[in-house]
Amino acid sequence: AHTRWATHGVPNEANAHPHIAGRVAIVHNGIIENHARLRAELQAGGHVFTSDTDTEVMAALIDRHLDQGLDLREAVLATVRELEGAYAIAVLSRDAPGRVVGARRGAPLLVGLGIGENFLGSDAQALIQVTHRMLYLDEGDVVEITRDSVQVCGLDGAPAARAVHESELSTDAVERGEYRHYMQKEIFEQPHAVASTLEARLGPHGVLPNTFGVDSDALLQATRGLHIIACGTSYHAGLVAKYWIEEFARLPVSVEVASEYRYRETVVPEGTLFVAISQSGETADTLAALRESRRRGYLGTLVICNSPESSLVREADLKLMTRAGPEIGVASTKAFTTQLAGLALLSLELARRHGLDPDRYIALCAELQHLPRAIEDALQLEPAIIELAGEFIQRQHALFLGRGAQYPVALEGALKLKEISYIHAEAYPAGELKHGPLALVDEKMPV
Ligand code: M6R
């Protein structure tokens, strides 16, 4: 089974997965960028499409390759070589019962290894209830699975061996328990998640050695500035860190959305550390930005991430794992607060090395130690928040305002409201209200 937001055409049944062409059925995560040209070629050859999706184009291409006498795996290989863009796919053919062919590039895909059964999934969390043994595919890999076998090859068709990992996820971590939905569960997991992120990294005298890895010492000492890139919520966490690092460590920080970074040229002052932030470690724009950063002359790369086996973590020089546990709700909650905890550690570590007054350093560390308790107190406000939400439920718009590090928090608040309630929301630095948006404020506008 596969669910996916419609990236091509409206969200209706025809555009929902799986997509079928001839004898082939396919599910797909990702976006094919040259689909319009491929669709036109197939239409010129007489193919009739039933959806608006890029995915159906893949199904039709695979079916055409099967017509030419290729077997399913070869047909998938021939098809993915024609694609530009990102895909993780699983493909069935009516003529190849008992076989599933998968392929990935720019989107995650792994094989869950069972006994007399094998699985494909985008994430270990999706498979943890059926197996703990996972085989992660590399960029460009194609895999064929049956009940009893798994065969991987690279994009060139040559057989490839991929290591098997025993996942440490617990099945409890992906169960909803007493909560009404995962987002509520994850909101209430924040004190524990933040405490785990700080555990064995922050002591009474400050950030502990090797928090950023055994090789971090020289890099952090040589850091003269930071360039942070990320998307969505993770980008907002990066914006908060800019305020902290500039105030405490007095190092210049620029923060950029990953999809902008990769499509423009940047100026990289000497001694700049490249920092990528991501919950999943698989966000295509963030991963592409990390790869692009290699040719732009940074001091090194650091990834702050929640998924230990992800592509970003595998490819960065330094890593700091947030220990939020699986975040199943689409709207980030505990991932955001654990990213902030990780970024607070980074800010303090840089501040210590770059001249922050030792008494202030110790005081800030003590405040950070207290954070899980403070979050617990904030969570006690739930009944009052539910009551307030009742007052806002009929509103169409909302403005969030904040100054300093609270400005990115306002951005994150507006994002949450949009995603979860479909109420239009915008965020501004508090001082900007009078420079235009005030025009929207009337008795119906919550601010
Ligand atoms: O996994 P990542 O942190 O790289 O994901 C980036 C964004 O897609 C993500 O933060 C998104 O904005 C949030 N889930 C929204 O709540």
Side-chain angles (χ1 to χ4, degrees):
H2 179 92
T3 54
R4 180 195 185 208
W5 288 11
T7 54
H8 296 77
V10 297
N12 62 13
E13 211 165 307
N15 289 334
H17 295 228
H19 287 287
I20 295 170
R23 76 211 87 170
V24 169
I26 181 171
V27 291
H28 165 219
N29 176 30
I31 294 182
I32 303 306
E33 289 173 12
N34 60 343
H35 76 103
R37 183 176 57 72
L38 295 169
R39 172 182 282 261
E41 281 169 21
L42 287 158
Q43 277 168 330
H47 188 86
V48 178
F49 285 92
T50 59
S51 79
D52 307 316
T53 63
D54 51 348
T55 304
E56 192 185 356
V57 170
M58 282 192 267
L61 281 174
I62 297 168
D63 195 53
R64 191 175 69 177
H65 285 302
L66 290 173
D67 284 343
Q68 291 159 351
L70 298 185
D71 90 333
L72 183 59
R73 190 187 67 101
E74 290 166 346
V76 170
L77 259 171
T79 298
V80 294
R81 286 182 190 137
E82 295 173 63
L83 303 178
E84 287 161 23
Y87 57 80
I89 53 173
V91 186
L92 304 175
S93 162
R94 205 168 42 215
D95 296 347
R99 294 162 69 192
V100 185
V101 174
R104 72 157 287 197
R105 192 165 71 205
L109 187 69
L110 63 147
V111 183
L113 304 169
I115 299 169
E117 51 183 4
N118 291 306
F119 307 87
L120 288 176
S122 291
D123 194 298
Q125 284 165 42
L127 300 179
I128 202 71
Q129 273 149 334
V130 289
T131 181
H132 277 72
R133 294 179 66 226
M134 311 286 174
L135 184 146
Y136 288 85
L137 299 173
D138 278 0
E139 280 289 273
D141 278 356
V142 172
V143 63
E144 178 172 320
I145 64 170
T146 66
R147 277 180 190 284
D148 314 303
S149 66
V150 174
Q151 284 173 300
V152 184
C153 67
L155 203 49
D156 57 0
R162 303 285 172 242
V164 176
H165 296 259
E166 198 68 37
S167 176
E168 287 173 7
L169 276 178
S170 88
T171 36
D172 292 352
V174 294
E175 270 160 20
R176 197 158 41 79
E178 74 208 64
Y179 294 98
R180 280 174 56 213
H181 43 73
Y182 280 108
M183 186 176 166
Q184 190 190 29
K185 177 182 181 227
E186 289 158 8
I187 286 170
F188 279 88
E189 283 173 347
Q190 289 177 100
H192 177 70
V194 168
S196 306
T197 301
L198 299 177
E199 194 181 310
R201 291 170 173 167
L202 184 65
H205 304 295
V207 181
L208 299 175
N210 297 332
T211 288
F212 298 89
V214 278
D215 305 325
S216 61
D217 216 46
L219 267 184
L220 294 178
Q221 196 59 36
T223 296
R224 293 289 168 270
L226 296 92
H227 196 162
I228 302 180
I229 66 97
C231 302
T233 294
S234 303
Y235 166 69
H236 296 155
L239 286 175
V240 174
K242 174 182 168 73
Y243 286 87
W244 292 341
I245 296 171
E246 292 196 343
E247 179 177 348
F248 305 133
R250 312 295 298 149
L251 296 175
V253 181
S254 59
V255 190
E256 189 164 359
V257 165
S259 56
E260 285 297 313
Y261 172 84
R262 62 189 275 210
Y263 293 116
R264 75 176 189 98
E265 284 304 323
T266 42
V267 177
V268 181
E270 208 182 319
T272 304
L273 182 67
F274 181 91
V275 181
I277 309 170
S278 172
Q279 187 286 124
S280 61
E282 299 292 351
T283 299
D285 285 320
T286 311
L287 191 53
L290 176 74
R291 289 176 182 157
E292 172 62 24
S293 75
R294 300 256 173 245
R295 66 162 201 92
R296 296 195 185 180
Y298 290 90
L299 182 65
T301 57
L302 164 67
V303 162
I304 298 184
C305 186
N306 193 40
S307 309
E309 285 141 11
S310 62
S311 309
L312 267 179
V313 170
R314 287 201 297 261
E315 295 185 23
D317 301 330
L318 305 180
K319 25 231 141 193
L320 179 76
M321 301 316 304
T322 52
R323 299 177 187 136
E327 189 176 66
I328 292 169
V330 169
S332 270
T333 53
K334 62 176 181 171
F336 179 62
T337 38
T338 52
Q339 284 168 349
L340 292 181
L343 287 161
L345 289 172
L346 178 64
S347 309
L348 288 168
E349 179 63 14
L350 290 169
R352 184 183 65 78
R353 290 168 184 272
H354 294 275
L356 182 69
D357 168 60
D359 292 341
R360 180 126 196 252
Y361 172 75
I362 294 295
L364 286 167
C365 290
E367 283 190 36
L368 187 55
Q369 289 279 21
H370 178 68
L371 187 58
R373 261 308 293 280
I375 299 175
E376 261 170 33
D377 291 347
L379 292 173
Q380 300 303 313
L381 294 171
E382 194 193 28
I385 292 171
I386 290 174
E387 208 177 308
L388 269 177
E391 285 180 30
F392 294 125
I393 202 158
Q394 299 302 342
R395 305 301 173 98
Q396 303 295 312
H397 311 276
L399 288 181
F400 286 68
L401 305 178
R403 172 160 293 156
Q406 296 301 324
Y407 164 53
V409 174
L411 286 168
E412 179 59 10
L415 176 63
K416 288 293 93 97
L417 192 69
K418 284 182 270 208
E419 265 187 304
I420 292 306
S421 65
Y422 304 144
I423 294 173
H424 165 235
E426 289 187 68
Y428 286 95
E432 275 294 290
L433 183 68
K434 56 187 175 295
H435 298 291
L438 190 57
L440 295 172
V441 178
D442 60 14
E443 65 284 358
K444 293 199 200 111
M445 175 71 86
V447 179

